[in-house]
Amino acid sequence: MADREFAEVAVDALAGPGSGALHYRLPESLRDRVVPGARVRVPFRRGQSDGYLLGFVDQPAVGELKDVTAILEEFPPIPADLLEIGQWLAGRCVCAPAEALKVLAPAVRAKPTTRVILAVDAEKLPARRPGGPARVLALLAEKGRADFGRLVEVTGSRSRALEITRQLEREGLVRLERGSRRHQPAPGACPGRRVVPRPDASPPALIHGDGRLELYLEAIAACLGAGRQVLVLVPEIALAPPMARVLEERSGARVVLWQGGMAGARRVAQWREVASGGAPLVVGTRSAVFAPVPELGLLIVDDEHDEAYKQPETPYYHARDVALERARRAGAGVLLGSSTPSLEAYGHCPGAVRRLPREPRPPVTLVDLREELKAGNRTLFSRELRERVEETLSRGQRVVLFLNRRGYAASVLCRDCGWVARCPACELPLTLHLGRAELRCHWCGGKAGVPTTCGGCGSAAVRHFGAGTERVQAEAREAFPGARVDRLDSDIAPGRSEQQAIRDRFAAGGADILVGTQLAARTLAGAALLGVVAADTILHLPDFRAAERTYQLLDGLCRRLGERGRVLVQTYNPGHYSLDCLARGDADGFYGEELAVRRSLGYPPFSGLARILVAGPAGAAGELASALRAAGVPVLGPVPAPGGRERWRLLVRGATAAAVAVDVRAVLARPPARARSIVVDVDPIDVA
């Protein structure tokens, strides 16, 4: 076992997929006070950097070491089991250790405090007449020390406490200690705790279907009855409080709502409460997968298919995968639940899939837009959709028209030379927003004016192609002149309060037709008809998950609408299995077909993928691709990536995601010198 002379530190200033930890010497004065997981300050290059102490080493990597400067005791140490998860995360996500640890550590400072300490023996305190000073000294004689805030309570006011403290300090009876409150772990929550795996843990299970709550409650009751704790994940912040209320009411156990965005002393208090074991049940979103639950017995990931579980920045972790790894290390059970599970969930739970009855869905009609073109109908609405909308409105019922693309037109193109208006920053086609009279880049936010002539040849034959919600709203107003048509997307309602105001207005009958993107999904319960304007915008995305996403999205919309409604889906591909299975209500048929396609093409869950984004000249990306191929790693690219002229994408494939991560990290130990930055996303949800 290593002594405490040499320490391994994950330094914040070291970032990037090829970065690791550094070794430092621990001064004798710090050796008895520091534990693995502690936040420390160390010399780095010509300055100082904070970092996390990972552990102790017998033989440092270099002979002459710098000393650790200080222990940052205002930060709670990371418990040992989470510290191990953080290091696993760095390997799995191919990032620096400090980049991984930052997402699970309570990176907040406690509020600075002043402690008043008795400076003499309590028996030698002089007698005093009753009053404020006597009460303060009596408290200090009993406790030895007290926070200044406690003295405010004893004396009745902050000014009186300050006056008495200064008086006693002048008399030499007390001394002051200023700083931040040290985070002492509660019993059972020692930062050095190590979770011992329990061999009786069952393998992960997938619950496929509706009405999953009852199965969750059965598993929760069994876990709590065994004296262990439960961690429940939901994909959205808005879903956490209702889930917490239901679980608390039905289980009878106390539930803590884990809020990742909480800051300051409240975040510290939340961390300490959970780490102490005082929370039988913890409910939260993606970041809650790192909650310091000491006796973890069960993890539940509800709506596990939701892409909100994927971290959108380094480290690019997926909460589902972290939950599986935490459970494996802790000997805990895992339940993955969804009405439309991801194909990866099927891969994680071979032979452990429980299918529940599906709630009744509304009838779904597929409308072949090829026939509409043959009939000369070139509008956004098929003849059948127009008829159904008019019938629904005549009965005083409401309609939702869905299109998962905002703006007026997807691109602006010259019919003479083929020129397309592109973002000067990232080279992607600009989207026309007619109401704002501007072109906008939906990738980087860039803006440009609307051209009246071609930017290539000067021709006036500039036209708009591809519809967005803004255009659907305009055409709906023309097609149904007596209807009140509202719109809900992130352009017209960027904030939650604005979005909810539109939903409330529609639910109260303030609009007859609501045109919207996925933001409109929550309004479907008040509608009688759902018209999917163009299913092909999702189905033909350049991504191997396009069919899965199409099925998941449309089935979710049908579920929200309910069996009393009706759904019309407009498409140029009515024979595609994702849409055919949707219309027939054949979930098993879709998953069987999609798994067969993935297996034949070697896509996840039958392989692992990693997307590597390289910023720098093309030669740097080419050098990395050559190094990967030389190491025997299958790689596609480099090809230009969105976001700028000198951004390149490589796609790496391997037997598993873990194997891909190992291969990529080994090659990136010596990254291309000309690369400005390299970002790795293992198991990406978007390969673009």
Side-chain angles (χ1 to χ4, degrees):
M1 179 178 177
D3 61 24
R4 291 173 169 256
E5 183 177 359
F6 305 115
E8 186 176 30
V9 178
V11 181
D12 290 357
L14 277 177
S19 302
L22 300 179
H23 291 169
Y24 290 87
R25 179 182 173 274
L26 269 170
E28 288 189 16
S29 60
L30 301 182
R31 292 177 193 174
D32 292 336
R33 295 167 48 201
V34 71
V35 296
R39 195 84 166 125
V40 295
R41 182 159 294 150
V42 295
F44 183 75
R45 294 176 182 162
R46 296 183 179 180
Q48 297 277 318
S49 176
D50 294 348
Y52 301 93
L53 191 142
L54 301 179
F56 308 102
V57 296
D58 287 319
Q59 296 295 328
V62 295
E64 188 174 346
L65 298 181
K66 296 180 180 179
D67 285 359
V68 172
T69 305
I71 304 170
L72 305 181
E73 293 177 314
E74 63 267 36
F75 291 89
I78 301 172
D81 53 312
L82 284 183
L83 190 62
E84 291 177 1
I85 285 290
Q87 295 179 78
W88 168 84
L89 194 67
R92 176 61 179 268
C93 296
V94 193
C95 64
E99 290 178 308
L101 291 170
K102 72 179 182 182
V103 300
L104 55 87
V108 292
R109 294 180 184 270
K111 185 177 180 180
T113 61
T114 298
R115 283 175 288 275
V116 182
I117 302 171
L118 190 63
V120 298
D121 193 317
E123 296 179 356
K124 298 180 180 179
L125 285 174
R128 285 186 178 269
R129 288 179 295 179
R135 289 196 298 273
V136 168
L137 287 175
L139 173 66
L140 295 176
E142 179 184 355
K143 303 291 187 182
R145 64 179 60 202
D147 288 343
F148 182 75
R150 181 73 179 98
L151 269 59
V152 172
E153 297 176 7
V154 169
T155 59
S157 73
R158 182 177 181 82
S159 60
R160 180 60 174 151
L162 186 60
E163 176 188 347
I164 292 173
T165 301
R166 287 174 176 170
Q167 175 188 337
L168 297 177
E169 186 181 23
R170 287 193 299 268
E171 295 177 15
L173 299 177
V174 303
R175 60 183 176 86
L176 304 183
E177 182 182 271
R178 293 180 174 85
S180 298
R181 185 188 306 275
R182 296 185 181 184
H183 290 270
Q184 300 297 332
C190 175
R193 74 176 191 230
R194 184 173 300 275
V195 173
V196 179
R198 306 193 184 194
D200 58 344
S202 56
L206 171 62
I207 303 176
H208 181 180
D210 305 319
R212 301 180 297 276
L213 179 61
E214 295 304 321
L215 290 183
Y216 291 165
L217 288 166
E218 289 178 16
I220 288 170
C223 181
L224 296 179
R228 303 184 74 181
Q229 294 164 280
V230 181
L231 181 55
V232 180
L233 303 183
V234 293
E236 299 177 31
I237 294 175
L239 299 175
M243 175 66 85
R245 283 195 298 270
V246 169
L247 293 181
E248 192 164 59
E249 290 171 1
R250 297 288 303 277
S251 71
R254 183 169 175 273
V255 177
V256 169
L257 192 60
W258 183 269
Q259 297 174 288
M262 188 183 293
R266 291 179 61 203
R267 175 72 181 273
V268 173
Q270 179 190 64
W271 172 277
R272 296 185 71 192
E273 179 182 20
V274 173
S276 71
L281 254 166
V282 177
V283 175
T285 53
R286 180 178 63 231
S287 65
V289 75
F290 301 113
V293 178
E295 288 291 335
L296 187 59
L298 175 66
L299 291 103
I300 296 173
V301 185
D302 193 37
D303 283 334
E304 65 77 30
H305 70 278
D306 199 300
E307 293 180 359
Y309 283 123
K310 179 75 173 185
Q311 173 85 348
E313 60 186 5
T314 301
Y316 288 87
Y317 70 88
H318 197 295
R320 176 196 60 224
D321 299 335
V322 178
L324 290 165
E325 182 64 18
R326 279 199 76 177
R328 185 187 69 80
R329 292 169 179 261
V334 180
L335 294 180
L336 306 178
S338 176
S339 297
T340 51
S342 66
L343 273 291
E344 286 79 2
Y346 270 88
H348 287 304
C349 306
V353 179
R354 179 166 180 179
R355 289 176 172 83
L356 298 179
R358 285 160 51 91
E359 294 175 357
R361 303 297 199 263
V364 177
T365 301
L366 302 181
V367 179
D368 191 343
L369 292 180
R370 295 171 300 182
E371 298 300 320
E372 295 300 306
L373 286 178
K374 291 177 183 178
N377 180 11
R378 298 183 179 275
T379 68
L380 293 179
F381 308 129
S382 64
R383 291 164 295 176
E384 184 169 2
L385 180 57
R386 284 175 180 266
E387 292 173 7
R388 297 301 180 193
V389 170
E390 289 170 350
E391 289 176 5
T392 303
L393 295 177
S394 68
R395 295 194 297 266
Q397 297 174 314
R398 295 187 291 278
V399 177
V400 172
L401 298 177
F402 174 82
L403 180 63
N404 211 28
R405 179 194 287 156
R406 53 197 172 94
Y408 187 87
S411 61
V412 176
L413 180 144
C414 174
R415 284 188 168 178
D416 286 345
C417 71
W419 171 85
V420 175
R422 294 183 179 275
C423 175
C426 62
E427 290 293 303
L428 289 178
L430 292 165
T431 299
L432 173 63
H433 290 255
L434 200 60
R436 299 180 180 180
E438 65 183 14
L439 299 177
R440 300 185 69 183
C441 177
H442 288 179
W443 180 270
C444 72
K447 299 178 183 179
V450 180
T452 55
T453 58
C454 174
C457 68
S459 168
V462 175
R463 298 293 183 270
H464 310 147
F465 291 89
T469 49
E470 188 179 356
R471 181 179 168 191
V472 175
Q473 181 186 32
E475 293 204 12
R477 284 172 172 164
E478 291 181 9
F480 313 107
R484 298 164 297 171
V485 183
D486 215 340
R487 188 171 104 237
L488 177 54
D489 56 35
S490 59
D491 289 327
I492 200 167
R496 291 180 185 172
S497 59
E498 298 154 303
Q499 294 165 10
Q500 192 57 47
I502 294 175
R503 293 189 187 105
D504 292 342
R505 184 165 65 240
F506 182 70
D512 304 304
I513 299 175
L514 180 65
V515 176
T517 58
Q518 280 180 271
L519 293 177
R522 294 181 189 172
T523 63
L524 287 170
L529 175 67
L530 168 65
V532 179
V533 177
D536 305 292
T537 59
I538 316 164
L539 186 58
H540 296 302
L541 289 173
D543 195 298
F544 70 90
R545 291 190 177 95
E548 178 185 10
R549 285 175 172 152
T550 300
Y551 182 83
Q552 288 172 338
L553 176 60
L554 297 185
D555 185 74
L557 294 174
C558 292
R559 188 174 66 254
R560 287 178 180 270
L561 182 64
E563 62 178 322
R564 296 182 180 179
R566 185 181 181 90
V567 180
L568 265 72
V569 178
Q570 299 187 152
T571 175
Y572 287 97
N573 294 273
H576 193 279
Y577 62 89
S578 64
L579 299 178
D580 179 58
C581 290
L582 176 79
R584 292 188 291 107
D586 186 6
D588 290 342
F590 168 74
Y591 282 97
E593 185 77 22
E594 181 68 3
L595 282 168
V597 170
R598 298 277 187 93
R599 184 182 287 107
S600 67
L601 297 176
Y603 281 124
F606 303 103
S607 68
L609 291 178
R611 182 189 63 179
I612 305 177
L613 295 177
V614 180
E623 182 183 341
L624 177 56
S626 298
L628 288 164
R629 293 187 179 104
V633 181
V635 59
L636 299 175
V639 297
R645 287 187 173 86
E646 288 199 331
R647 283 172 55 88
W648 310 92
R649 186 195 70 209
L650 294 86
L651 198 63
V652 179
R653 184 179 291 186
T656 64
V660 169
V662 171
D663 290 342
V664 171
R665 178 174 283 279
V667 172
L668 287 178
R670 293 188 176 182
R674 290 181 293 169
R676 292 193 300 273
S677 70
I678 299 175
V679 176
V680 181
D681 182 359
V682 177
D683 192 21
I685 60 171
D686 183 1
V687 297

